[in-house]
Amino acid sequence: MRHLHGIDSEVGRLRTVLAHRPGAELLRLTPRTKDRLLFPGLPWVARAQQEHDIAAECLRDRGVEVLYVMELLQDVMEYPSARAEAIVAVLGAPYLGERLRADLGTHLAGLDPEDLARVVVVGLTPEEFRPGRGVVFGLLDRHDFVITPLPNLAFLRDTHTWIGPEVAVASLEPARQREGALIRCLYRHHPRFAGVACIYGPGQEPLDAGDLLQIAPKVIAAGISERTTAAGVERLASRLFEANLATKVLAVPLRQVPEGTRLDTVCTVIDSDTVLMFPALGYVLQAHVITRVDGELRLSRPMPLLESMAQAMGVEALTVISTGVDPPAAAQRQWDDGGNALALDQRVMLC
């Protein structure tokens, strides 16, 4: 069966969502490894799974189809081209030496689809890798990994977003590049997504999908931060204009927010004229409008973010619902993030 995919706003009726249920990769986190794996703390895994299941059930109760990354990965690992792509993503890790890379490649090639899907997400320790030999393997500490786990895959919104009928896959920081590669692998090879094109992908200039919002049909807002560079926004805008997927892109420098904050938690669109936002940032953030004129990108002068969004969304002014009075530093901790919301339909939110 051929499926139609795509979005033209942040607040239309949500029909299908791709999710990752927190799994054994989170059990790899220890006080020694959490910083290396770019995770903010040590999660209560059973509780995380319980809360995820409650959220998924809320989605299903609203008629939303929930697709799971691990199930789709197991499907595509049946295909030789997808297997090869996933294995290449693992073997590209710079800490692997020549001998260990060869041994690991042979090991991965021999795994069945379910085991291969699991190991590329959950990771592999030296104790679990019996065929390991050579200098690099011999020098691994018991706290090291042969394949690093992907605990941040739980934050799936960082890895990709749909823009119209195409997918923008993030180009994440080196420690998270495999996440983007696996998501791109799903969209390239799973029959569910046959014919879907990727407008952006890993290996391009840094771009975090959590910094992207489709605020109106063919209008994209893009935050610029340490995770999403101006060069990434420029390349994305150019490709969107060429594909006729955007008429304007709002570039939003996030200089006034704490490190690690993404645009989708600073400002969440909940209706065609309403946003959820940290109160102070609504008055300090600015936006530049990028357009294409005679084949060249043009950048406007800065203007207040809320004003530029209102113009782009075709309303006189936006209604702003405050997330509260805590300082924006709360955004550094997901469990205190007042803007961590998902629109299921107009004025229907999951928070």
Side-chain angles (χ1 to χ4, degrees), residues 19-134:
H20 177 63
R21 187 176 189 267
E25 68 279 357
L26 292 178
L27 297 174
R28 305 286 202 189
L29 291 164
T30 69
R32 287 176 179 265
T33 63
K34 68 178 182 66
D35 292 336
R36 202 180 351 147
L37 297 174
L38 305 180
F39 207 82
L42 300 179
W44 182 0
V45 179
R47 183 61 178 270
Q49 293 172 333
Q50 179 188 42
E51 293 185 348
H52 173 91
D53 292 342
I54 292 170
E57 193 60 31
C58 288
L59 291 169
R60 295 187 186 99
D61 288 344
R62 296 287 306 186
V64 179
E65 178 188 24
V66 181
L67 303 177
Y68 282 104
V69 167
M70 288 300 293
E71 293 178 2
L72 299 184
L73 272 179
Q74 290 170 11
D75 291 342
V76 299
M77 291 302 105
E78 298 275 2
Y79 305 108
S81 56
R83 290 175 64 90
E85 190 171 321
I87 291 172
V88 166
V90 171
L91 299 183
Y95 58 81
L96 296 172
E98 183 178 355
R99 181 60 178 271
L100 181 54
R101 182 174 286 109
D103 290 342
L104 184 58
T106 300
H107 174 73
L108 294 176
L111 296 178
D112 63 37
E114 185 174 340
D115 287 339
L116 181 57
R118 181 182 185 280
V119 78
V120 297
V121 171
V122 176
L124 196 65
T125 67
E127 290 182 351
E128 295 167 339
F129 187 51
R130 301 301 182 188
R133 296 169 294 175

Side-chain angles (χ1 to χ4, degrees), residues 35-276:
D35 292 336
R36 202 180 351 147
L37 297 174
L38 305 180
F39 207 82
L42 300 179
W44 182 0
V45 179
R47 183 61 178 270
Q49 293 172 333
Q50 179 188 42
E51 293 185 348
H52 173 91
D53 292 342
I54 292 170
E57 193 60 31
C58 288
L59 291 169
R60 295 187 186 99
D61 288 344
R62 296 287 306 186
V64 179
E65 178 188 24
V66 181
L67 303 177
Y68 282 104
V69 167
M70 288 300 293
E71 293 178 2
L72 299 184
L73 272 179
Q74 290 170 11
D75 291 342
V76 299
M77 291 302 105
E78 298 275 2
Y79 305 108
S81 56
R83 290 175 64 90
E85 190 171 321
I87 291 172
V88 166
V90 171
L91 299 183
Y95 58 81
L96 296 172
E98 183 178 355
R99 181 60 178 271
L100 181 54
R101 182 174 286 109
D103 290 342
L104 184 58
T106 300
H107 174 73
L108 294 176
L111 296 178
D112 63 37
E114 185 174 340
D115 287 339
L116 181 57
R118 181 182 185 280
V119 78
V120 297
V121 171
V122 176
L124 196 65
T125 67
E127 290 182 351
E128 295 167 339
F129 187 51
R130 301 301 182 188
R133 296 169 294 175
V135 173
V136 174
F137 183 79
L139 291 173
L140 289 175
D141 183 79
R142 65 187 181 90
H143 299 290
D144 291 328
F145 296 103
V146 178
I147 301 175
T148 55
L150 301 178
N152 284 290
L153 194 58
F155 306 119
L156 199 60
R157 179 68 170 82
D158 300 345
T159 64
H160 71 290
T161 191
W162 285 79
I163 300 175
E166 300 193 22
V167 177
V169 180
S171 182
L172 297 170
E173 53 206 304
R176 298 187 63 188
Q177 282 183 354
R178 193 164 83 248
E179 296 176 44
L182 292 177
I183 295 300
R184 183 176 61 179
C185 183
L186 287 184
Y187 285 118
R188 280 180 170 176
H189 300 285
H190 200 285
R192 171 69 185 253
F193 304 112
V196 170
C198 291
I199 195 75
Y200 205 87
Q204 304 294 328
E205 292 85 353
L207 183 81
D208 189 308
D211 279 321
L212 302 178
L213 297 175
Q214 178 138 8
I215 60 175
K218 294 193 174 185
V219 181
I220 307 299
I224 297 175
S225 61
E226 74 282 354
R227 286 185 171 87
T228 298
T229 63
V233 172
E234 179 186 58
R235 182 178 294 274
L236 176 65
S238 179
R239 291 185 174 182
L240 292 176
F241 292 142
E242 290 173 3
N244 194 31
L245 295 179
T247 56
K248 62 181 65 175
V249 174
L250 274 57
V252 186
L254 299 176
R255 301 187 183 97
Q256 296 91 346
V257 302
E259 182 179 348
T261 303
R262 296 165 178 81
L263 182 61
D264 70 341
T265 54
V266 167
C267 179
T268 303
V269 183
I270 64 175
D271 201 351
S272 56
D273 62 354
T274 306
V275 297
L276 182 70

Side-chain angles (χ1 to χ4, degrees), residues 46 55 101 175 181 191 246 254 275 299 306-307 312 350:
R101 182 174 286 109
L254 299 176
V275 297
L299 186 69
L306 292 176
E307 181 181 334
L350 179 65

